[in-house]
Amino acid sequence: MSGPAAGTAHAATSTDVVCLGESMVTFLPSQPGRLADVPSFGRGIGGAESNVACALAAAGHRAAWVGRVGADGFGDHLVETIASYGVDTSAVRRDPVRPTGIYFRTATDRGTDTHEVAYYRAGSAASAMSPENVPYEDLLAGRILHLSGITAALSADCLALLRDLTAPRPGRPLVSFDVNHRPHLWRGGEADASVLLELARRCDLVFVGEDEAEEAWGIVGAEAIRAALPEPSVVVVKRGSAGATVFASGLRPGPRSSNAGGAEDAAGAGATGAGGAEDAAGGAGLGPDTVTLVPALRVDVVAAVGAGDAFAAGFLSATLRGLPVRERVRHGHLMAAAVLTVPGDLTDPPARDHADRLAALDDDAWGRLRLGPGWTAADRAPEEVRTP
């Protein structure tokens, strides 16, 4: 490893998940419409990895966010807001020269033609992250290290950092990777989105959407995605309204990942996919996969932003608790539903016992479930028994 703590990891971990990436100040529109027509904006925060850290901390886990922000007021706001969720921000570095990134967006769904986002992140403090200036001793301190493809697209130095962190080595934490393909970030760069496939294959747990796999790699269908990603122990293929398909096999022995801190179970090979799991051929000589298909929830959507990050947080939360694969996916869906029913990227998750009750519903009850704004505030929401 090329960082200052090369080849080392904490002998005892006090952190569950460490998330690395850029967080930015986001400006949310006061009303629908084109950016040119919106009269005012409210300030919030946005960043795939910090969103995951905030959601995990709010759910009761020990989460840390490692990033780089400017020595400016926006950087102050980011660090203070993320810390307010209970996230450890002590390893965040301040750049005395480069600014904190910001962006403006419209209120429409990211997947629609009317959605607009104006990023002001070129040359940001986070884009200067490299193997030479991030605190490796903090990155390696958790049971799980969560990364995203967004970071790889920010600069050549950021890509070098992700290649270094995903390289096989003794003592490497379990590495979780959300592909998070953002086409606009790859335009005009030295690399292209095909590098995301390279990075994903070096990780232990991968989240990828069917749509982004097709757009970035030209790969269609969950089985074909798994065939292109034979190395990870767990591949979670997000299928939009159809739900998610999880391919899970045993964690690999040997130097690629020793999963310090008891994270062997975190990738989930030992947890059975209760409720409809079926055997399928696995890849890379790892033995059979367990394939688990879990339908999505019906949700009265307020704003379709932040759901992917929330899904990852819910899945990781249930993973840390050692729950079966089906429940991991359902907790991902529930965490995503919490975010989908509020205007911003972040919200308080449902109480753990409430989420556990919903995740334990039988298949018919799960299929009848419909969640709307305010559902997380109830101890036992009426949606638990709502029928169409």
Side-chain angles (χ1 to χ4, degrees), residues 105-171:
R105 67 169 174 82
T106 54
T108 50
D109 185 346
R110 181 183 284 124
T112 66
D113 292 337
T114 58
H115 184 68
E116 295 177 73
V117 182
Y119 288 102
Y120 299 90
R121 75 196 308 177
S124 69
S127 70
M129 289 189 297
S130 76
E132 284 69 44
N133 64 17
V134 297
Y136 272 61
E137 65 277 12
D138 295 293
L139 288 173
L140 299 177
R143 295 173 61 194
I144 298 174
L145 172 62
H146 181 70
L147 308 171
S148 130
I150 295 173
T151 305
L154 297 180
S155 68
D157 282 342
C158 285
L159 176 55
L161 175 61
L162 259 64
R163 280 182 166 142
D164 199 25
L165 290 172
T166 57
R169 64 180 52 82

Side-chain angles (χ1 to χ4, degrees), residues 48 110 119 148-151 153 177-187 192-197 207-218 238:
R110 181 183 284 124
Y119 288 102
S148 130
I150 295 173
T151 305
F177 182 75
D178 193 334
V179 170
N180 261 331
H181 178 229
R182 299 289 185 267
H184 65 277
L185 290 178
W186 294 99
R187 295 176 188 142
D192 59 42
S194 63
V195 77
L196 297 175
L197 185 60
F207 299 95
V208 59
E210 273 192 324
D211 54 346
E212 61 186 352
E214 181 175 4
E215 184 175 25
W217 308 326
K238 298 176 290 183

Side-chain angles (χ1 to χ4, degrees), residues 4-75:
T8 65
H10 287 178
T13 60
S14 60
T15 303
D16 292 322
V17 181
V18 178
C19 302
L20 167 79
E22 179 174 36
S23 191
M24 295 182 290
V25 172
T26 176
F27 290 91
L28 308 173
S30 59
Q31 64 185 45
R34 303 182 310 156
L35 286 179
D37 300 327
V38 174
S40 60
F41 296 80
R43 185 180 64 178
I45 66 169
E49 303 85 0
S50 60
N51 285 349
V52 172
C54 289
L56 284 167
H61 298 285
R62 297 163 300 182
W65 172 61
V66 178
R68 192 173 180 88
V69 301
D72 50 35
F74 288 145

Side-chain angles (χ1 to χ4, degrees), residues 274-373:
E278 53 185 324
D279 288 334
L286 297 172
D289 268 343
T290 297
V291 183
T292 307
L293 293 77
V294 181
L297 289 164
R298 291 179 298 163
V299 179
D300 298 328
V301 176
V302 172
V305 292
D309 305 330
F311 178 91
F315 190 95
L316 290 173
S317 173
T319 293
L320 287 162
R321 298 171 58 200
L323 299 183
V325 170
R326 185 192 71 166
E327 277 63 36
R328 299 180 194 201
V329 181
R330 285 188 170 188
H331 276 278
H333 286 321
L334 289 164
M335 197 82 86
V339 169
L340 288 169
T341 51
V342 298
D345 290 20
L346 293 168
T347 189
D348 291 332
R352 180 172 289 184
D353 61 345
H354 185 193
D356 283 345
R357 287 197 302 270
L358 295 179
L361 291 173
D362 62 38
D363 290 344
D364 287 342
W366 179 263
R368 293 194 302 270
L369 197 60
R370 186 183 186 113
L371 301 175

